């Protein structure tokens, strides 16, 4: 604990940060993009992304330096585009709340950032629009740029409480899980263990249940990266919330209902895995059962058709 501390939802290793960023007082340099957090010496620094050039006029304190640097990291991702009926809708972040942490993951499952990500508790401050979609339509998310680590993709839906709009709503109410994609099959093994249906996908599509009652909702995409998840608090969550207004005459009763945070704890199976990911021969998906009853976990991901261009 002495060598680590937390900023927001990120666990940061002082030694690694110091070595990467504070070596020179008056220099222009490039460094690896893995600086946001380090869970151990297992080197999440394998990401080879380069940072934009930083010209340092003086030696900055570590918190100040971290606060001023938000650059994309290779293999990390964002959800930036709403998809409806195999068509990207609008421009990136028009209907999905933009985060303020670049494409950095969340690692603390008890953080309120787990709802819609850092800086995205309000659709008003992010200037996010709400899209009308009929229950029973196919919906989905475009990914910037690809699902870059082994792990599952899940989607949660939360009805907006009475008196609020989707833009007002912070996600503190109840959520139901409506989609999950994991491995191609639990018996499928490749050179690195389980073969993930999510591997390098740039988008995914699924059916918004026809039973969904009319009203406004937050539609939450959650990707879980497991490459370091055999260490406590090292599972990486990538989260994005779309704002939708569902139309139709759906009469379903949502459930089982959960709250975020609260849906996961940091030691439950699927969040903390028993061994390094490439040695796993099976995987337990965390979270509640899918709604509506009878929905099944997917072992193949439907992406945008080849003639469609995300964004």
């Amino acid at each position: 604990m002495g060598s680590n501390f937390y900023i927001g939802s990120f666990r940061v290793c002082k030694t690694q940060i110091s070595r990467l960023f504070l070596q020179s007082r008056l220099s222009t340099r490039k460094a690896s993009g893995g600086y946001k957090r380090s869970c151990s010496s297992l080197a999440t620094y394998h990401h080879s992304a380069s940072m934009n050039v930083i010209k340092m006029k003086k030696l900055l304190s570590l918190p100040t330096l971290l606060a001023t640097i938000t650059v994309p990291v290779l293999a990390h991702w964002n959800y930036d585009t709403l998809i409806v009926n195999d068509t990207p809708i609008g421009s990136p972040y028009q209907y999905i709340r933009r985060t303020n942490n670049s494409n950095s993951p969340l690692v603390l499952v008890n953080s309120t950032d787990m709802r819609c990500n850092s800086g995205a508790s309000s659709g008003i401050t992010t200037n996010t629009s709400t899209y009308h979609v009929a229950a029973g339509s196919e919906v989905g998310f475009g990914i910037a740029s690809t699902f870059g680590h082994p792990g599952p993709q899940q989607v949660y839906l939360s009805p907006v409480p009475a008196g609020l709009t989707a833009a007002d709503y912070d996600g503190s109410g109840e959520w139901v899980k409506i989609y999950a994609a994991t491995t191609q099959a639990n018996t499928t093994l490749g050179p690195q263990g389980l073969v993930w249906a999510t591997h390098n996908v740039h988008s995914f599509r699924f059916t918004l249940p026809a039973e969904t009652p009319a009203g406004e909702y937050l539609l939450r995409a959650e990707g879980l990266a497991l490459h370091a998840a055999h260490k406590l608090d090292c599972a990486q969550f990538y989260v994005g919330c779309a704002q939708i207004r569902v139309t139709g005459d759906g009469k379903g009763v949502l459930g089982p209902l959960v709250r975020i945070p609260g849906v996961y704890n940091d030691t439950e199976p699927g969040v903390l895995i028993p061994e390094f990911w490439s040695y796993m021969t099976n995987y337990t998906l965390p979270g509640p059962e899918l709604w509506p009853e009878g929905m099944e976990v997917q072992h193949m991901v439907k992406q945008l058709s080849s003639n469609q261009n995300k964004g």
Side-chain angles (χ1 to χ4, degrees):
M1 290 292 293
S3 62
N4 296 313
F5 64 96
Y6 289 92
I7 295 180
S9 297
F10 305 111
R11 186 178 178 185
V12 184
C13 174
K14 292 180 182 177
T15 302
Q16 296 280 9
I17 297 297
S18 297
R19 185 168 68 244
L20 285 174
F21 297 112
L22 303 182
Q23 206 169 28
S24 174
R25 294 190 177 189
L26 296 172
S27 65
T28 298
R29 57 177 297 194
K30 292 184 179 181
S32 165
Y35 64 90
K36 281 287 187 182
R37 49 172 294 277
S38 175
C39 290
S40 72
S41 60
L42 56 79
T44 53
Y45 297 90
H46 70 279
H47 308 304
S48 59
S50 293
M51 295 179 57
N52 292 332
V53 174
I54 301 171
K55 294 183 178 180
M56 300 197 308
K57 299 298 183 180
K58 60 181 179 179
L59 180 63
L60 298 175
S61 67
L62 182 59
T64 301
L65 182 60
L66 287 173
T68 60
I69 302 174
T70 55
V71 294
V73 177
L74 290 182
H76 292 186
W77 66 92
N78 296 113
Y79 302 97
D80 67 345
T81 305
L82 178 66
I83 297 168
V84 178
N85 295 326
D86 198 24
T87 302
I89 303 299
S91 57
Y93 300 108
Q94 184 173 350
Y95 299 103
I96 297 177
R97 296 177 181 180
R98 186 188 292 270
T99 70
N100 65 3
N101 61 349
S102 185
N103 62 358
S104 296
L106 307 173
V107 297
L108 301 181
V109 297
N110 61 350
S111 168
T112 56
D113 285 348
M114 284 286 290
R115 294 170 183 160
C116 287
N117 213 323
S118 177
S121 62
S122 167
I124 295 175
T125 58
T126 56
N127 196 30
T128 308
S129 300
T130 300
Y131 191 77
H132 291 222
V133 57
S137 298
E138 189 181 65
V139 296
F141 289 81
I143 299 172
S145 56
T146 62
F147 198 113
H149 287 301
Q153 174 68 63
Q154 303 193 85
V155 176
Y156 288 79
L157 185 70
S158 183
V160 175
L164 297 177
T165 66
D168 298 323
Y169 180 40
D170 65 358
S172 58
E174 296 175 318
W175 296 81
V176 65
K177 185 162 68 176
I178 62 173
Y179 174 81
T182 58
T183 57
Q184 289 186 2
N186 280 342
T187 56
T188 299
L189 298 177
Q192 293 186 316
L194 295 171
V195 179
W196 292 90
T198 54
H199 177 66
N200 283 343
V201 300
H202 58 74
S203 59
F204 67 96
R205 300 181 286 138
F206 60 95
T207 299
L208 181 67
E211 300 92 328
T212 306
E216 295 200 357
Y217 293 83
L218 292 180
L219 183 67
R220 174 183 176 273
E222 175 194 288
L224 173 53
L226 300 172
H227 58 294
H230 61 294
K231 299 289 186 179
L232 186 66
D233 288 340
C234 289
Q236 295 182 356
F237 291 87
Y238 297 84
V239 173
C241 284
Q243 297 175 185
I244 60 173
R245 173 183 283 274
V246 176
T247 61
D249 57 0
K251 300 291 191 258
V253 178
L254 306 183
L257 297 170
V258 297
R259 291 187 183 270
I260 303 173
V263 61
Y264 308 130
N265 66 67
D266 58 4
T267 60
E268 74 177 90
V271 174
L272 182 65
I273 58 177
E275 55 191 338
F276 191 66
W277 70 273
S278 62
Y279 299 130
M280 290 194 303
T281 57
N282 58 75
Y283 177 71
T284 300
L285 189 68
E289 296 297 316
L290 289 163
W291 179 84
E293 186 176 355
M295 289 286 289
E296 296 182 349
V297 173
Q298 300 300 300
H299 299 288
M300 180 181 69
V301 172
K302 294 175 63 177
Q303 298 194 69
L304 280 170
S305 298
S306 58
N307 63 334
Q308 295 287 358
N309 185 5
K310 178 178 71 68

